[in-house]
Amino acid sequence: MRKALIVWGGWDGHEPEQVANIFRDVLEQQQFEVEVSDTLEAFSNREKLLELDLIVPVWTMGEISNELVDNVLAAVQSGVGIAGCHGGMCDSFRANVNWQFMTGGQWVAHPGNDGVEYKVNMKYSSGMLFEGIEDFEVKSEQYYLHIDPAVEVLATTTFPIADGPHATNRTVEMPVVWTKRWGAGRVFYNSLGHHADIVTIPQVQEMMRRGFLWAADGKQVAEQQDHVHDKSTAYNGMADSNY
């Protein structure tokens, strides 16, 4: 059975406990063994993190030590997946640039605040991860993020909708969902999820379900690649000795 760790906390406005419970239910339905923690000390045991298949952060703002972040980064680099949403992953620790480097983006604004009506536009150039999910409307915060150019975009939204100083710039397409890699690990992020009711929108919950599975699958893929590499190295060594 695959193992997942959900760590929730930080700013209560994002309803982290409720969101963590929703994610736990989704993962348990996919036959994961799920541990849920409400303390960042859950990241203190590096060896335990390395045994996981998936890490799900649900923690907005706050501070974290470099040691704890380094443990998470090392686990993901080894092949453990990480997947999350909204401020629970890409506005977790504003002062820690290493966290931002791994996750692929950082929230900077939500013009119009909560209640903006906007469209989520699906992109299919990234493969079939979101096959069958059509464009949809949502009424929530519309996240404006600073984005790592390395991310692979799966869904976008268009700015500006709400008025503000940003509106004098040209129209921009802002990523809503993306994937990226961190070493052998897979990273999945969805900017939707301001409150628990947004997470339970059918399209959003299905996107998260698929994102969890995709991120968690990366560990097995990495292990298989390592196995093939080890066999190849051993074969080449035998060939060299025979030569």
Side-chain angles (χ1 to χ4, degrees):
M1 181 177 287
R2 290 188 289 183
K3 297 180 180 180
L5 171 66
I6 301 173
V7 180
W8 67 268
W11 184 57
D12 286 338
H14 279 158
E15 301 178 352
E17 184 175 11
Q18 295 94 317
V19 172
N21 288 334
I22 293 167
F23 288 165
R24 181 199 60 206
D25 290 344
V26 169
L27 289 167
E28 288 181 345
Q29 289 171 12
Q30 301 303 311
Q31 307 305 310
F32 279 79
E33 177 185 328
V34 183
E35 178 183 348
V36 180
S37 174
D38 63 354
T39 173
L40 293 175
E41 287 303 308
F43 296 146
S44 64
N45 188 332
R46 181 177 294 203
E47 293 306 313
K48 185 176 179 180
L49 294 180
L50 291 169
E51 295 174 356
L52 297 171
D53 297 280
L54 181 66
I55 296 170
V56 181
V58 189
W59 198 290
T60 304
M61 294 183 281
E63 297 181 357
I64 190 171
S65 70
N66 288 331
E67 179 183 359
L68 295 182
V69 170
D70 287 347
N71 287 344
V72 176
L73 268 58
V76 178
Q77 186 174 348
S78 77
V80 178
I82 187 166
C85 73
H86 201 65
M89 180 161 152
C90 282
D91 191 24
S92 295
F93 313 111
R94 295 178 184 177
N96 196 292
V97 293
N98 288 330
W99 181 271
Q100 297 164 21
F101 191 15
M102 174 190 63
T103 58
Q106 171 61 39
W107 170 85
V108 293
H110 40 58
N113 300 312
D114 194 17
V116 175
E117 297 184 24
Y118 63 96
K119 178 177 281 190
V120 176
N121 302 297
M122 310 307 297
K123 302 292 181 183
Y124 298 104
S125 60
S126 300
M128 307 305 289
L129 186 60
F130 286 165
E131 182 180 13
I133 302 177
E134 303 295 332
D135 297 352
F136 62 96
E137 301 280 345
V138 66
K139 186 175 182 179
S140 184
E141 289 182 340
Q142 187 184 32
Y143 258 23
Y144 202 104
L145 303 112
H146 286 170
I147 307 295
D148 182 344
V151 304
E152 189 167 5
V153 179
L154 278 66
T156 65
T157 188
T158 301
F159 279 85
I161 292 178
D163 194 21
H166 66 296
T168 53
N169 297 307
R170 63 179 176 83
T171 298
V172 297
E173 205 175 40
M174 178 61 59
V176 172
V177 185
W178 66 72
T179 61
K180 65 169 289 190
R181 307 303 174 103
W182 185 260
R186 295 179 175 185
V187 179
F188 174 90
Y189 175 71
N190 184 347
S191 73
L192 297 164
H194 180 54
H195 290 139
D197 62 336
I198 300 299
V199 175
T200 57
I201 293 172
Q203 296 95 324
V204 179
Q205 190 161 326
E206 178 63 11
M207 291 157 79
M208 294 306 302
R209 185 189 72 83
R210 297 189 195 183
F212 290 150
L213 293 174
W214 176 85
D217 284 346
K219 185 173 186 179
Q220 183 177 5
V221 171
E223 290 173 347
Q224 289 173 344
Q225 290 175 341
D226 285 344
H227 179 66
V228 170
H229 174 74
D230 290 343
K231 288 180 64 176
S232 176
T233 300
Y235 175 79
N236 288 337
M238 290 174 61
D240 290 343
S241 64
N242 290 336
Y243 180 83

